[in-house]
C-alpha cells in the first residue's frame, strides 16, 4: 500500500440472491477468457442455490356424457285433429238448381230440418203428367172391364167363342198393369218433389257447405256436411315405418294443445288397409271418451309406446365427434386410470340434435363431449363427479354433460 491509497483486493459479484467474492490476485492470473468462465460458474452456483420448482401437470377442463342402456320401448307421437266418428256428406237425390240455403257452418241441426232447396218446377210438372197418365189408365181399365164381362156373358150363352173371351180377359189384364205402372210413376213424381228439400236425418252440427244458391248440382253431389253428435275421434297419419305398431284396440294417450292439463285415454279404432297415394301414410282413427271439453277441430297429440326392435344406435353430441388419421373417433375416459383414449366409431347418421353411432360405443362408456381438439392419448383427467347418463336411444344432448377437471 503506497501513496496513502488502499485499493480493494477483493471483487464481489452479485447474481440474484447469490453473491460471489473473488480476490484480485486470482483474477489477474486468469487468461483473457477467464472472466467469462467465472461468470458462467457463478451463474451455475446461483442456479443451484434456487429452490427446486415442482412441475405439475396441467389438466384441461372438458365435458363428458355417459352412454346409458338403450330403452326397451320407444315413444311414438303424432298430431291430428278431432273429428266426429260419423260425418254425413248430404246432397240432393235429384238434379236441379239450388234456390235456397237455410243453414250456415257451425249451426246445429236436428232430424227434419231443411238444409237447402232446389227449384221444384219441373218436378211439379212431372206430377201433373203422371196424374193424367194414371187417370187415362183408370179409364182404360173400366173400358176393358166392361168388355170382359160382356164376353163372359156371351160365352156363357154360347153366342161367342172361347177365344173372344180370352182376348177380352187379356186386354183387361193389360189395362190393369198399365194403371199400376201409371200409379207408380205418380208416386215417383211426388217423391221427387219431396226430394227438392234437403233435410237432416240426425242430430249434429254443420261443418262445411260446398254448394250455394244459384248452383246447379247433380244427384248425390255433396252440398252440406254434418258431423253427427256422439263419439269423437282423432285422425292421424302414420308412416309405413311405424304402422305395424298400431293395431285396433291399442291403448294410447291423447293430449290437446288448447289445454295442457287435459289428457284422455284413447283406443285405436281403425287402421287404413292401404297408404294414401300422395302422402304415403296410413290413416289411423283413435276413439276418445266423451268429454265436453273436447271440441271438433281441436288439435290433438296421440302418444303410444312401441317395442324398440330396430337396430339401436348410440346418440352423442356433435361436439364429441373427432377425427384422427382420417378416421372418425371419440375420446373415452378410463375411470380407473383417469386417462382419455381415442376409440374409432362408425357413424350411422347425423341429426339436428347430434350424431347416431352404430358401432364403437356401448352402455357405460364415458365420452368427452367438448374440448376434443385438446385431447391426447393417455391424457390425465380427474372426474369432478359422476357423468350424466345419456340414453343410447335418446337424441337430446343439451344437458347430458358434466365438467371434468
Amino acid at each position: 500500500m503506497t501513496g496513502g491509497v488502499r485499493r480493494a483486493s477483493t471483487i464481489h459479484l452479485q447474481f440474484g440472491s447469490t453473491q460471489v467474492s473473488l480476490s484480485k490476485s486470482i483474477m489477474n492470473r486468469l487468461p483473457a477468457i477467464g472472466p467469462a468462465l467465472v461468470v458462467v460458474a457463478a451463474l451455475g452456483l446461483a442456479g443451484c442455490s434456487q429452490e427446486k420448482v415442482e412441475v405439475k401437470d396441467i389438466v384441461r377442463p372438458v365435458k363428458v356424457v355417459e352412454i346409458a342402456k338403450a330403452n326397451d320401448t320407444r315413444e311414438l307421437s303424432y298430431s291430428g285433429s278431432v273429428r266426429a266418428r260419423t260425418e254425413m256428406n248430404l246432397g240432393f237425390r235429384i238434379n236441379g238448381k239450388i234456390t235456397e240455403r237455410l243453414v250456415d257452418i257451425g249451426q246445429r241441426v236436428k232430424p227434419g230440418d231443411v238444409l237447402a232447396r232446389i227449384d221444384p218446377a219441373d218436378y211439379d210438372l212431372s206430377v201433373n203428367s203422371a196424374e193424367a197418365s194414371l187417370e187415362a189408365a183408370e179409364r182404360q181399365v173400366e173400358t176393358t172391364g166392361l168388355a170382359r164381362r160382356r164376353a163372359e156373358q156371351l160365352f156363357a150363352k154360347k153366342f161367342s167363342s172361347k177365344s173372344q173371351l180370352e182376348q177380352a180377359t187379356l186386354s183387361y189384364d193389360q189395362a190393369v198393369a198399365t194403371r199400376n205402372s201409371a200409379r207408380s210413376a205418380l208416386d215417383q213424381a211426388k217423391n221427387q218433389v219431396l226430394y227438392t228439400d234437403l233435410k237432416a236425418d240426425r242430430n249434429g252440427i254443420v261443418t262445411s257447405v260446398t254448394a250455394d244458391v244459384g248452383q246447379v248440382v247433380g244427384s248425390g253431389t255433396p252440398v252440406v256436411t254434418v258431423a253427427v253428435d256422439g263419439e269423437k275421434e282423432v285422425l292421424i297419419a302414420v308412416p309405413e315405418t311405424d304402422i305395424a305398431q298400431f293395431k285396433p284396440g291399442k291403448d294410447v294417450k291423447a293430449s290437446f294443445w288448447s289445454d295442457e292439463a287435459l289428457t284422455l285415454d284413447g283406443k285405436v279404432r281403425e287402421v287404413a288397409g292401404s297408404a294414401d297415394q300422395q302422402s304415403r301414410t296410413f290413416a289411423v282413427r283413435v276413439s276418445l271418451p266423451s268429454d265436453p271439453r273436447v271440441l271438433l277441430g281441436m288439435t290433438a297429440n296421440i302418444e303410444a309406446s312401441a317395442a324398440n326392435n330396430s337396430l339401436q344406435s348410440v346418440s352423442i353430441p356433435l361436439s364429441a365427434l373427432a377425427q384422427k388419421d382420417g378416421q372418425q373417433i371419440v375420446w373415452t375416459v378410463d375411470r380407473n386410470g383417469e386417462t382419455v383414449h381415442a376409440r374409432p366409431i362408425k357413424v350411422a347418421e347425423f341429426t339436428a340434435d347430434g350424431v347416431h353411432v352404430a358401432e364403437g360405443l356401448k352402455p357405460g362408456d364415458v365420452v368427452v363431449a367438448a374440448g376434443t381438439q385438446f385431447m391426447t392419448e393417455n391424457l390425465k383427467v380427474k372426474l369432478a363427479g359422476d357423468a350424466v347418463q345419456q340414453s343410447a336411444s335418446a337424441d337430446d344432448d343439451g344437458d347430458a354433460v358434466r365438467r371434468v377437471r
Side-chain angles (χ1 to χ4, degrees), residues 165-186:
L165 176 61
E166 291 175 349
Q167 184 176 1
T169 303
L170 182 62
S171 298
Y172 174 78
D173 292 341
Q174 185 177 2
V176 171
T178 301
R179 182 196 63 185
N180 293 338
S181 176
R183 186 175 295 168
S184 297
L186 177 60

Side-chain angles (χ1 to χ4, degrees), residues 8-286:
S9 60
T10 303
I11 298 175
H12 302 281
L13 300 177
Q14 186 74 28
F15 298 96
S17 60
T18 303
Q19 182 175 349
V20 180
S21 300
L22 298 176
S23 64
K24 187 175 181 181
S25 60
I26 294 177
M27 293 294 295
N28 291 334
R29 296 192 187 99
L30 292 175
I33 197 65
L37 293 175
V38 172
V39 172
V40 173
L43 290 174
L45 292 174
C48 293
S49 64
Q50 295 291 328
E51 294 183 1
K52 185 177 181 181
V53 179
E54 181 181 359
V55 179
K56 296 183 179 180
D57 294 336
I58 299 176
V59 181
R60 195 177 295 273
V62 292
K63 296 180 179 180
V64 298
V65 292
E66 180 180 354
I67 306 302
K69 181 180 178 181
N71 295 326
D72 295 331
T73 60
R74 57 193 177 97
E75 295 297 325
L76 304 177
S77 179
Y78 294 99
S79 295
S81 59
V82 178
R83 55 192 302 172
R85 177 171 179 174
T86 303
E87 288 187 348
M88 301 185 301
N89 294 320
L90 302 180
F92 291 100
R93 300 171 66 174
I94 54 177
N95 305 327
K97 179 180 180 180
I98 298 177
T99 58
E100 191 175 6
R101 178 170 62 85
L102 304 175
V103 294
D104 296 315
I105 295 177
Q107 183 174 338
R108 299 199 61 83
V109 296
K110 61 183 183 297
D113 288 348
V114 179
L115 309 179
R117 288 193 175 95
I118 61 175
D119 188 0
D122 292 340
Y123 299 100
D124 289 336
L125 294 176
S126 298
V127 171
N128 296 333
S129 176
E131 288 177 344
S133 298
L134 179 59
E135 183 67 22
E138 292 285 0
R139 300 291 79 78
Q140 185 66 23
V141 168
E142 293 177 0
T143 301
T144 55
L146 292 174
R148 187 189 67 168
R149 285 194 297 271
R150 183 172 180 79
E152 289 175 348
Q153 293 173 358
L154 293 175
F155 178 75
K157 295 179 179 180
K158 297 183 180 181
F159 290 150
S160 64
S161 63
K162 186 177 181 180
S163 60
Q164 291 177 333
L165 176 61
E166 291 175 349
Q167 184 176 1
T169 303
L170 182 62
S171 298
Y172 174 78
D173 292 341
Q174 185 177 2
V176 171
T178 301
R179 182 196 63 185
N180 293 338
S181 176
R183 186 175 295 168
S184 297
L186 177 60
D187 293 338
Q188 184 178 13
K190 290 180 178 179
N191 286 339
Q192 289 183 331
V193 172
L194 297 177
Y195 296 156
T196 58
D197 289 344
L198 180 61
K199 298 180 179 181
D201 56 0
R202 300 179 67 179
N203 293 321
I205 184 172
V206 177
T207 57
S208 67
V209 175
T210 54
D212 214 331
V213 175
Q215 184 174 344
V216 177
V217 295
S219 61
T221 301
V223 175
V224 176
T225 301
V226 176
V228 179
D229 289 346
E231 185 178 353
K232 297 182 179 68
E233 64 183 15
V234 178
L235 177 64
I236 59 176
V238 179
E240 57 185 298
T241 54
D242 292 331
I243 191 59
Q245 305 298 334
F246 289 87
K247 301 293 183 184
K250 181 181 179 66
D251 294 328
V252 298
K253 291 287 186 181
S255 57
F256 303 88
W257 289 7
S258 60
D259 188 354
E260 296 181 355
L262 178 58
T263 302
L264 301 177
D265 294 327
K267 190 179 294 291
V268 176
R269 181 180 67 84
E270 179 183 292
V271 178
S274 61
D276 182 83
Q277 293 295 329
Q278 295 181 349
S279 64
R280 306 306 304 166
T281 58
F282 292 80
V284 176
R285 298 177 182 271
V286 177

Side-chain angles (χ1 to χ4, degrees), residues 290-310:
S290 178
D291 193 303
R293 294 173 294 178
V294 179
L295 304 178
L296 297 178
M298 291 176 61
T299 302
N301 191 58
I302 301 299
E303 296 180 355
S305 59
N308 196 5
N309 296 325
S310 60

Side-chain angles (χ1 to χ4, degrees), residues 356-368:
H356 285 181
V357 179
E359 298 178 3
L361 292 176
K362 62 183 184 299
D365 289 340
V366 178
V367 178
V368 177

